[in-house]
Amino acid sequence: MGHARKSTAIAVAADDMELVRRAQAREAGAFRVIMQRHNQRLYRIARGVVRNDGEAEDIVQEAYVRAFTHLGSFRGEAALSTWLSRIVINEALGRLRARRRREQAMAPLRPAIEAHVIPFPLNPASDDPERTMAQRQILQLVEKATDNLPDIYRAVFVARVIEGLSMEETAEVLGIRPETVKTRLHRARVLVRKDLDEQIGPVLLDAFPFAGRRCERLTSAVMRRLGFSD
């Protein structure tokens, strides 16, 4: 089993380096493959930090442009997915800090406004209206519970539970120790469970999707910024 995992990791690393080499040679197909492979993970991570669909897309786009202009710094010491995730996290946290500074500066000038939850895109429309409505209601509760988590817990929760990164990957992406990931994840689960248990009980849904037109729109936008035409 361990030998199989090691062989898989070696194959992934080799594939990452080949894709990076092709992208450095300005091969349009390589850029598209990289984005299509990582769009969903990076979007989910960004969305988990900033809690805003549109801003999450902007963050992923900026992260790609930054990564693609600094491909020479990718040495393959970590997986390409981890390297890209770290760039997205840094961009998202920077946006969050900037947003808070703006909010603090504007606070004396405007009355407090009620917070609201920005809905995530749902799965493709179902032909069962009642099921679609139930899914929408459950998603709203899950989104609200996730959005209500303190920042340090939300980032870990999204990375581990929503995106499915390993303990080690999460620690590397967030720049913290695996023990810290474990502690924060436990606390995040307690808080989310407290928010959800009385209303819906255990929930297993594919939240935070990123596919179809949204995926292609972001990929096309980055390709245009890199000078490629569709």
Side-chain angles (χ1 to χ4, degrees), residues 41 44-46 48-49 85 89 146 153-167 169-171 173-174 181 185:
R41 166 180 285 190
R44 287 174 169 178
I45 291 173
V49 174
S85 296
I89 282 284
T146 303
Y153 300 136
R154 191 173 64 253
V156 169
F157 185 81
V158 170
R160 285 285 288 124
V161 177
I162 305 272
E163 182 49 38
L165 272 65
S166 70
M167 196 78 70
E169 288 174 325
T170 303
V173 166
L174 297 177
V181 172
L185 178 61

Side-chain angles (χ1 to χ4, degrees), residues 52 58 71 100 148-149 151 165 173 206 215:
N52 182 294
D58 289 343
L71 281 174
R100 285 173 177 164
N148 284 341
L149 287 171
D151 295 341
L165 272 65
V173 166
D206 183 21
C215 177

Side-chain angles (χ1 to χ4, degrees), residues 43 46-47 49-57 99 118 120:
Y43 170 77
R47 175 59 177 78
V49 174
V50 299
R51 297 180 289 181
N52 182 294
D53 292 352
E55 190 172 7
E57 285 194 50
R99 182 200 298 174
I118 301 173
F120 297 175

Side-chain angles (χ1 to χ4, degrees), residues 9 44 60 83 97 106 114 133 157:
R44 287 174 169 178
V60 175
W83 187 68
R97 287 191 292 268
M106 294 295 294
E114 183 178 355
M133 179 59 69
F157 185 81

Side-chain angles (χ1 to χ4, degrees), residues 186-214:
H186 173 73
R187 181 57 179 163
R189 282 174 167 160
V190 169
L191 293 172
V192 169
R193 190 178 300 118
K194 181 179 179 181
D195 206 338
L196 294 176
D197 276 352
E198 293 183 358
Q199 303 177 70
I200 58 175
V203 176
L204 294 174
L205 287 176
D206 183 21
F208 301 90
F210 194 101
R213 287 179 294 177
R214 181 184 292 270

Side-chain angles (χ1 to χ4, degrees), residues 4-216:
R5 284 198 298 266
K6 184 176 180 180
S7 298
T8 299
I10 292 173
V12 169
D15 186 49
D16 283 349
M17 293 306 298
E18 175 61 16
L19 273 174
V20 169
R21 184 195 64 77
R22 289 167 52 197
Q24 287 178 310
R26 300 285 295 174
E27 183 179 326
F31 289 113
R32 285 193 175 276
V33 169
I34 291 171
M35 287 186 283
Q36 289 167 353
R37 284 184 183 179
H38 301 100
N39 273 346
Q40 179 165 295
R41 166 180 285 190
L42 300 182
Y43 170 77
R44 287 174 169 178
I45 291 173
R47 175 59 177 78
V49 174
V50 299
R51 297 180 289 181
N52 182 294
D53 292 352
E55 190 172 7
E57 285 194 50
D58 289 343
I59 287 168
V60 175
Q61 186 178 143
E62 289 299 324
Y64 274 134
V65 172
R66 182 178 301 178
F68 291 153
T69 55
H70 294 87
L71 281 174
S73 65
F74 179 74
R75 302 286 184 241
E77 297 169 354
L80 183 59
S81 60
T82 302
W83 187 68
L84 291 170
S85 296
R86 190 181 301 120
I87 295 172
V88 166
I89 282 284
N90 289 336
E91 177 71 22
L93 291 175
R95 296 283 189 101
L96 201 59
R97 287 191 292 268
R99 182 200 298 174
R100 285 173 177 164
R101 287 195 295 268
R102 289 194 301 270
E103 289 173 350
Q104 290 171 357
M106 294 295 294
L109 305 177
R110 66 185 181 191
I113 58 174
E114 183 178 355
H116 64 284
V117 177
I118 301 173
F120 297 175
L122 292 173
N123 287 331
S126 167
D127 55 4
D128 183 344
E130 292 184 0
R131 178 179 177 82
T132 299
M133 179 59 69
Q135 287 181 333
R136 184 183 299 275
Q137 292 171 342
I138 292 171
L139 276 174
Q140 288 173 344
L141 293 173
V142 174
E143 292 157 10
K144 183 176 181 180
T146 303
D147 284 352
N148 284 341
L149 287 171
D151 295 341
I152 61 172
Y153 300 136
R154 191 173 64 253
V156 169
F157 185 81
V158 170
R160 285 285 288 124
V161 177
I162 305 272
E163 182 49 38
L165 272 65
S166 70
M167 196 78 70
E168 293 73 19
E169 288 174 325
T170 303
E172 186 170 2
V173 166
L174 297 177
I176 57 180
R177 297 182 304 166
E179 295 81 3
T180 304
V181 172
K182 185 175 181 179
T183 301
R184 292 181 182 179
L185 178 61
H186 173 73
R187 181 57 179 163
R189 282 174 167 160
V190 169
L191 293 172
V192 169
R193 190 178 300 118
K194 181 179 179 181
D195 206 338
L196 294 176
D197 276 352
E198 293 183 358
Q199 303 177 70
I200 58 175
V203 176
L204 294 174
L205 287 176
D206 183 21
F208 301 90
F210 194 101
R213 287 179 294 177
R214 181 184 292 270
C215 177
E216 181 56 32

